[in-house]
Structure formats: structure tokens, C-alpha cells
Amino acid sequence: MDIAATPTLALACELIERRSATPDDAGCQALLAQRLAPLGFRCESSVDNGVTNLWARLGDARPLVCLAGHTDVVPTGPLTGWQSDPFTPALRDGYLYGRGAADMKGSLAAFVVAVEGFLADCPRPAGSIALLITSDEEGPSVDGTVRVVERLAGAGTTIDYCIVGEPSSDARLGDMIKNGRRGTLSGTLTVRGIQGHIAYPQLARNPIHLAAPALAELAAMHWDDGNEYFPPTSFQVSNLHAGTGAGNVIPGTLEAMFNFRYSTASTRDSLVARLTALLDRHGLDYDVAWTGHGEPFLTPRGRLVDLASETIREVTGVEPALSCSGGTSDGRFIARICPEVVEIGPVNATIHKLNERVLAADLESLAAIYRALLGRLLSPSS
């Protein structure tokens, strides 16, 4: 197969060639705007603290259907681990290789090709189409989608349906729809002891020994049962540091970085309260700095979930499962102004890995899913 043999594959390759490591967009959004503007889209680009954001809209009528995603990619890792240059798209054994092939330049290409095909069939849709694209999804996510959402909310703009192109599929294209995501809550715990000589422990207080029982209890704690859509809340320590590097010094402090991934069965306030109550019960001298937070979001079964499931069955023959597993996504920001948000995208087996890849044939099928779903949501007869 010629690497440019199909429209979605060709555009995906053009995007992969742009070295858009967070927060550098590297011209990806300009390329997308060049394809959208001739279709009548009003393309508004903004730069917030080095992050490039694109809001492109066609029409003013309701409902407004938004296709959302990101042009930034994670670092490549060691180039010696790649079979080919990660920013030179390569086709091998039916797979397209390159950084961002699955997460998520393939989806962006499928968005554009789907919109072009839908408008060729339906030049006067019964509603509006928008694309919301950022270069800050893989990074801190503080100057990307959230900034666009804030501006839209300030202007009184709401979105009726949103399809996020995150790689949601598990084993094959279409086998999973993400209809929500868990919340994330991160913090750094500092436990204070008294530094001293390791031969005179009676003159010191070892914060490692003091904190260990509390950390073990936090790791074993049952936070909630989850619910129909979400797995139970989890607590994980990601980094632990104490000591001066010397083998004969009892450290004065211990620092533990931790994270909750939580379901809608818990709240930020409930998790904070339970964690601090446990630390207090252990009699620790401590501080907690809360370093990051994202609310969970959920789209229950309804029009968008039902139509997305129907569309995937029609295009792929696969019955999609609903899931809220995995990490966070920018859907959490869009959900503030949109009641129905789902994530539909390629297989996620190689995202953030060396030799990231996607089946080339899946890109055209993905474009067909997006195109058919636009038809179900915006065709005059729908």
C-alpha cells in the first residue's frame, strides 16, 4: 500500500511529520485549518503561554457537535528503541508507525476527512460542527482545552454533543467507548521527624518509620465500591524520598508523592477528609500540598452513547463496551459546557510507547465512524 493511498492515512502522515512535542504545535493546527477554512469554518487560533489552541466552527444553529483532540505528543524516548524515525511516518505490515499515530494524529486526520465527506453529502447540516484542538493535552493541561472552554463559557456558548478522538479502543477498533473518566487528585505529603546519628536513635525521630504504617494503611484502604460505570477509587504512591544519601544519618523529613484516581462515588472533599483524618490518627507531624486535580465526568446512556454504539456496530460489526477506565482526558473540561461527551478512537495498545503504531485500515474505518455519526446527529432528517 502506498503510504499516501488513502485520504486519512495521507493526512495522518503529514501530521506525524511535524515534531509537535508538548506544548509545541509545530504547525499541525495550521494544516488542519487550511483544510477546514475552504469548507466554511471560522478558524480562531490563540496562543496561551506557549500553547496553541484552535476553535473552528461551521454554522450557528443548534445542535452544536464538537470534535475534540490534541496535536501535541509525548517525548519519543530513546531513538535507538525505534525501528524507524518516530517523526518519519512508516508503513510496515499494514501498520502506520510514528509518534502520535494512535495518540492522536490519526484521529485528527479522521476528523477532517469525516467532516469533508459529510459536508459533501450534506452541505446544509441541521446544526453546527466545531473542532476544538489543543497542543497541551499531554502536558500540564492548564493552557489548552480548559482555556478555550473558559472563553466559550464566557461568551455563553455551549456544546450539545462532543466526540473526543482519544485512543479508546482496546483490542480492535470500536470495541470500547469511553463515556467518562475518573477524577485525579495528586498531592505531596511531607512528614517531619528529627534528624540524628543512626547509632543514637533515641535522640532522633525517623520519619520513615513514623510514616510507613500510615502509608501502608492508605494503600490498603477501601475508598469506595465504584459504580456501574467506574471501578473503585485507587490510591497510589508514585515517589518516595528521604535521607541525605549517607548511611549513618536518620533523615529529618520524608516526602511522598501520591495520586487518587477516583470514581463519582467519592469527591475531592471526601478523599481529602479521609486522608487527613488517617494521618492525624497516626499522630504525624505533617503537611500535605495538593498539587493537581481533575474532576471525573460521566455521560450516561442517552442519545450520543446510543448513536455512537449504533454507528460503530454498523461500520465495524463490533459491539462496543462502555468504560470509564484509563487516565484523564480533556473531556473533563469540555463536560463543563457539554452534557454528552464520549471518546472514540484507535486501539491504545502502543500509545506513549516506542514504535507507536495504528492499523492503516483502521484510520479509514475511524473516519467512516465519525462521518456516519455526524450524519446521525446533524442530517436534516435525523
Side-chain angles (χ1 to χ4, degrees):
M1 180 190 293
D2 184 341
I3 202 164
T6 61
T8 313
L9 179 60
L11 181 52
C13 290
E14 288 189 75
L15 291 168
I16 291 170
E17 289 172 342
R18 288 159 169 78
R19 298 171 178 264
S20 56
T22 309
D24 186 5
D25 170 69
C28 291
Q29 292 175 32
L31 175 62
L32 299 176
Q34 289 172 10
R35 296 281 288 262
L36 295 170
L39 302 174
F41 280 81
R42 306 185 300 275
C43 298
E44 303 171 14
S45 182
S46 61
V47 178
D48 299 272
N49 295 318
V51 172
T52 306
N53 297 309
L54 175 66
W55 173 253
R57 179 167 179 171
L58 174 70
D60 297 302
R62 303 287 294 272
L64 171 58
V65 178
C66 178
L67 306 173
H70 60 91
T71 52
D72 59 318
V73 297
V74 297
T76 62
L79 296 180
T80 54
W82 285 79
Q83 296 175 351
S84 54
D85 186 321
F87 293 107
T88 301
L91 197 65
R92 295 191 298 274
D93 300 322
Y95 285 92
L96 172 65
Y97 286 81
R99 178 54 89 219
D103 190 16
M104 57 172 287
K105 292 182 174 180
S107 296
L108 297 180
F111 280 164
V112 172
V113 171
V115 168
E116 291 172 336
F118 170 68
L119 292 175
D121 291 339
C122 182
R124 293 181 177 82
S128 305
I129 307 172
L131 280 81
L132 195 170
I133 312 296
T134 184
S135 68
D136 184 37
E137 196 276 343
E138 300 288 9
S141 299
V142 296
D143 291 302
T145 299
V146 64
R147 296 288 178 233
V148 180
V149 167
E150 288 170 353
R151 285 193 281 268
L152 292 172
T157 299
T158 57
I159 297 167
D160 296 286
Y161 307 106
C162 182
I163 300 98
V164 184
E166 287 292 339
S168 61
S169 300
D170 184 26
R172 57 179 297 190
L173 180 67
D175 64 1
M176 184 172 290
I177 295 172
K178 302 286 189 184
N179 64 317
R181 292 280 188 156
R182 293 176 293 177
T184 180
L185 177 62
S186 298
T188 300
L189 167 68
T190 301
V191 177
R192 289 180 288 272
I194 298 176
Q195 182 173 310
H197 195 294
I198 206 162
Y200 302 95
Q202 72 276 12
L203 301 178
R205 295 181 70 241
N206 192 324
I208 301 174
H209 298 178
L210 295 171
L215 291 176
E217 189 171 340
L218 286 168
M221 181 172 284
H222 180 79
W223 300 94
D224 59 45
D225 293 319
N227 53 39
E228 178 187 0
Y229 297 103
F230 288 94
T233 294
S234 66
F235 170 89
Q236 292 291 318
V237 175
S238 57
N239 284 273
L240 194 65
H241 176 76
T244 63
N248 60 353
V249 178
I250 293 172
T253 59
L254 173 143
E255 184 178 275
M257 299 174 65
F258 63 88
N259 176 264
F260 288 100
R261 291 301 166 103
Y262 68 99
S263 73
T264 50
S266 291
T267 65
R268 171 179 176 154
D269 290 344
S270 70
L271 296 174
V272 169
R274 292 179 66 187
L275 180 138
T276 54
L278 184 149
L279 297 175
D280 291 340
R281 177 161 51 80
H282 280 264
L284 300 177
D285 180 9
Y286 73 92
D287 288 317
V288 178
W290 298 101
T291 56
H293 178 236
E295 294 285 349
F297 74 93
L298 173 67
T299 298
R301 288 178 174 84
R303 186 163 192 254
L304 183 56
V305 169
D306 290 346
L307 290 179
S309 300
E310 180 183 318
T311 301
I312 289 170
R313 285 195 300 269
E314 177 185 274
V315 173
T316 68
V318 174
E319 180 65 45
L322 298 181
S323 174
C324 299
S325 61
T328 59
S329 80
D330 279 0
R332 68 189 188 274
F333 304 125
I334 299 168
R336 298 174 185 175
I337 60 170
C338 180
E340 298 190 53
V341 181
V342 297
E343 299 177 20
I344 303 171
V347 172
N348 56 30
T350 62
I351 62 174
H352 294 208
K353 294 184 179 181
L354 301 174
N355 298 302
E356 180 179 351
R357 68 182 190 176
V358 64
L359 270 172
D362 279 357
L363 294 178
E364 300 310 319
S365 297
L366 187 59
I369 291 170
Y370 295 149
R371 178 175 175 173
L373 188 50
L374 287 171
R376 283 182 161 88
L377 292 168
L378 292 174
S379 291
S381 58
S382 65

